[in-house]
DNA sequence: ACGATAGGTGACCAAAAGGTCACATGTCAA
DNA sequence: TTGACATGTGACCTTTTGGTCACCTATCGT
């Protein structure tokens, strides 16, 4: 599966936090992102590499700095894959599920 | 984070396949799901447990059988959390990202 | 009652993932 | 041109995860 890297990348809370950081303001460098985390530079670098391989983050070199930008497209694709399918299914399983959930609460 | 289990549950391809199976037709038993996978019953059971802990699957006992139902609500919540944020951000970062991506292709 | 069937638990092992460090390259600025 | 800075790589360790198995409980049909 090609989206396997996207799901694996989203599975780690540190990486989701990095995406949140880049959401508020992207174009940040590794050192700037590192300063927001209680982790060594190498740990942050590994996480950014995973995000980049999943295409959730795109980068651009600027001199000795590497700028990181958020790429929401893979998340959109997840949305299109799962949610649309589920909403199409709305009439069959979801109604049964509602009953299930209401029993629990 | 409360959604950590959801992301971790979605990270495994076998579990995503189980969700796909339950999407096409839910209310299936463990043994029925096991027959669709090249894996022991115990492996499938562990995966279903992870999905159930993440609330992506809800279950109901019926005699000696346990029926499994798909619950799309956590995926909707992911959608609401990420995609809406990104679309709000559409005017700032996304336009820069488009330029980035077009450079690469 | 009893064999077959459906599901559950705990120990256990191998593989993958998270994290750090020593070291190394390239770039800026005085 | 030299020292400080920004990033990169590979080895290495620890923890988590994926998977199997021996064994167990509960339920169905006859």
């Amino acid at each position: 599966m090609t989206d396997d890297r996207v799901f694996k990348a989203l599975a780690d809370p540190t990486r989701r936090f990095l995406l949140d950081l880049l959401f508020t303001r992207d174009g940040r460098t590794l050192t700037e992102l590192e300063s927001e985390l209680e982790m060594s530079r190498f740990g942050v670098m590994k996480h950014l590499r995973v995000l980049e391989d999943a295409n959730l983050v795109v980068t651009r070199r600027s001199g000795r700095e590497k700028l990181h930008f958020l790429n929401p497209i893979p998340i959109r694709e997840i949305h299109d894959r799962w949610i649309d399918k589920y909403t199409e299914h709305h009439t069959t399983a979801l109604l049964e599920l509602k009953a299930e959930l209401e029993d629990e609460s």
Side-chain angles (χ1 to χ4, degrees), chain A:
Chain A
M1 296 247 194
T2 173
D3 50 16
D4 189 61
R5 278 176 298 180
V6 177
F7 283 108
K8 283 222 164 60
L10 290 174
D12 184 88
T14 303
R15 289 194 287 267
R16 294 198 296 274
F17 182 63
L18 282 169
L19 291 181
D20 288 336
L21 285 177
L22 291 180
F23 169 70
T24 63
R25 176 172 51 84
D26 55 0
R28 304 204 207 194
T29 69
L30 164 63
T31 345
E32 185 178 356
L33 292 168
E34 174 205 346
S35 68
E36 306 265 8
L37 292 175
E38 311 273 317
M39 188 183 298
S40 79
R41 180 171 60 88
F42 310 96
V44 179
M45 199 162 50
K46 268 198 177 181
H47 284 305
L48 287 173
R49 173 65 186 272
V50 173
L51 289 169
E52 198 174 351
D53 287 346
N55 203 29
L56 284 161
V57 162
V58 289
T59 60
R60 180 182 53 196
R61 289 304 293 256
S62 169
R64 60 178 163 181
E65 293 181 334
K66 186 177 183 181
L67 307 180
H68 297 78
F69 299 88
L70 184 66
N71 181 19
I73 294 177
I75 303 186
R76 287 183 174 279
E77 290 173 351
I78 292 177
H79 164 262
D80 293 344
R81 172 189 173 187
W82 294 95
I83 301 293
D84 281 345
K85 282 165 66 179
Y86 290 144
T87 51
E88 286 175 14
H89 208 228
H90 206 273
T91 50
T92 65
L94 187 55
L95 296 181
E96 293 180 357
L97 276 167
K98 276 190 180 174
E100 293 293 324
L101 294 172
E102 284 164 3
D103 278 356
E104 283 189 337
S105 60

